[in-house]
Amino acid sequence: MNKKIVVVGSSNTDLVIQTSHFPAPGETVIGGVFNTFAGGKGANQAVAAARLGGLVTFVARVGIDGFGEKAIAGLKKDHIQTDYIYQDPVHPSGVATIVLNETGQNTIVVAPGSNNELSVQDIEGAKNRIKEAELVLVQLEVPLQTVKYTIDLANDLGKKVILNPAPAIKLPDGLYRKIDLITPNETEAFKQVGIVVEDFESASEAATRFLDKGVKNVVITLGDKGAFFKNSALEFLVPAMESVVKDTTGAGDIFNGALAVALAEGMRWNEALEFANCAASIGVGRLGAQASAPFRKEVEDRL
Ligand code: ATP
Ligand code: RIB
């Protein structure tokens, strides 16, 4: 049976221009193809989880505008429950301008708009849905106060919490012990615990710092090197699966959505990381954030 997952987070429309190189400050670069893609860390993770077999409720805030309407319509197509996506009467939907170079790397500037208005009351409104869920997945592209409330509520209801601490901001110390699994990339790990993660040893040291703060399980994503896991009993690295990279936008989001499904289904840690690595490796071979998220069969075939 499909496991119920609640994702709380941002929804953006990604305005993406491909280019041979990134502009320097003050430089104008004539780029290539322009695309509009559905994005936002929360929505990307919701879509990845839904395509991989989760029964997903997405809690978010969009504007009353074309971008918001289109975002909701796209999520519905992926069978995501959208009844807790609030439409903000004042603020516009979130937008991200993304410049994508020839090696699939990107720079991103986000105008959060209505994402910044996702409130404690909005989360409280979705309490019954959280009550029914196997776990809750949240990131940091919505107000920190709302993230904290989500985590507290999930704790009170006895639900596991996965925090993807992206984008990189410093967190209050008291929050860590309420988190079952934290999933930083190298930059986010540095921001949180001050360790430069570049190999197994430094990943292990950074993970230990998270465990010392009270997090129960740590996954550090390492881009094309894969993903590292550590808890009080285990530590290991699962190498990335090979991919011809087109666009890494949303790789971390696909990884997190996949990990949420794997854990909700009760996979063991090593199986869960393999599943998530595989899903993300398919994603980086395609353009777009949500557009690139694979379906369950694709991941199973590749595994
Ligand atoms: P992004 O911000 O681009 O969404 P991220 O920085 O949060 O991503 P990464 O650590 O770069 O996250 O990547 C997440 C996961 O995606 C990795 O753990 C790996 O499984 C997969 N991945 C990333 N880059 C590659 C690659 N070049 N080849 C194969 N898999 C990759
Ligand atoms: O993680 C990728 C996402 O970050 C993009 O879809 C963009 O909207 C920003 O939120």
Side-chain angles (χ1 to χ4, degrees):
M1 219 195 39
N2 304 64
K3 298 294 179 188
K4 292 180 179 167
I5 294 170
V6 171
V7 180
V8 173
S10 58
S11 164
N12 292 329
T13 299
D14 293 349
L15 307 177
V16 184
I17 299 181
Q18 296 180 49
T19 180
S20 57
H21 70 279
F22 294 126
E27 185 188 5
T28 298
V29 172
I30 302 299
V33 176
F34 168 75
N35 280 297
T36 305
F37 288 119
K41 293 182 190 305
N44 298 345
Q45 295 183 16
V47 166
R51 290 189 187 166
L52 293 169
L55 186 50
V56 177
T57 295
F58 181 43
V59 183
R61 197 167 258 271
V62 298
I64 303 181
D65 50 28
F67 283 155
E69 298 290 349
K70 208 169 166 206
I72 294 173
L75 295 164
K76 281 187 174 151
K77 258 195 195 156
D78 275 306
H79 309 291
I80 290 169
Q81 292 176 314
T82 58
D83 40 342
Y84 293 103
I85 301 183
Y86 304 90
Q87 286 196 276
D88 194 287
V90 177
H91 300 85
S93 299
V95 171
T97 57
I98 301 183
V99 180
L100 179 67
N101 77 5
E102 283 171 340
T103 63
Q105 306 302 307
N106 59 47
T107 60
I108 304 181
V109 181
V110 176
S114 51
N115 293 306
N116 269 353
E117 308 304 314
L118 187 72
S119 69
V120 162
Q121 289 74 24
D122 294 342
I123 307 304
E124 186 59 30
K127 183 172 181 175
N128 280 337
R129 200 54 66 74
I130 294 175
K131 236 183 227 169
E132 294 166 0
E134 211 70 41
L135 54 82
V136 177
L137 173 60
V138 60
Q139 327 72 34
L140 299 173
E141 235 176 18
V142 293
L144 183 56
Q145 196 196 4
T146 306
V147 172
K148 282 196 220 155
Y149 190 83
T150 303
I151 293 173
D152 281 337
L153 184 60
N155 274 223
D156 289 348
L157 297 172
K159 302 298 168 184
K160 289 206 161 94
V161 175
I162 304 177
L163 174 66
N164 174 226
I169 60 167
K170 202 106 175 104
L171 291 174
D173 264 341
L175 203 64
Y176 292 98
R177 62 183 170 74
K178 300 174 183 171
I179 298 166
D180 292 280
L181 170 62
I182 198 162
T183 58
N185 65 13
E186 293 130 310
T187 313
E188 292 142 12
F190 178 75
K191 185 80 180 181
Q192 310 279 335
V193 296
I195 302 284
V196 178
V197 175
E198 47 197 4
D199 52 18
F200 187 97
E201 282 68 33
S202 50
S204 175
E205 199 183 335
T208 300
R209 300 271 179 108
F210 280 111
L211 297 177
D212 290 346
K213 284 176 182 283
V215 177
K216 292 169 196 70
N217 302 285
V218 183
V219 169
I220 303 180
T221 61
L222 305 169
D224 62 4
K225 297 198 283 296
F228 173 88
F229 176 83
K230 185 165 185 163
N231 66 12
S232 59
L234 286 174
E235 73 174 324
F236 58 85
L237 180 125
V238 180
M241 289 183 76
E242 265 186 37
S243 182
V244 178
V245 176
K246 265 204 180 145
D247 179 4
T248 60
T249 312
D253 298 332
I254 295 173
F255 184 94
N256 276 277
L259 200 56
V261 170
L263 298 176
E265 290 184 4
M267 287 187 207
R268 286 194 302 267
W269 285 111
N270 62 334
E271 284 176 309
L273 264 74
E274 273 165 24
F275 183 77
N277 264 347
C278 179
S281 77
I282 296 172
V284 298
R286 303 171 179 168
L287 286 183
Q290 285 164 45
S292 71
F295 289 86
R296 180 74 175 231
K297 182 153 187 337
E298 295 177 90
V299 174
E300 284 175 349
D301 287 351
R302 178 128 213 253
L303 278 174

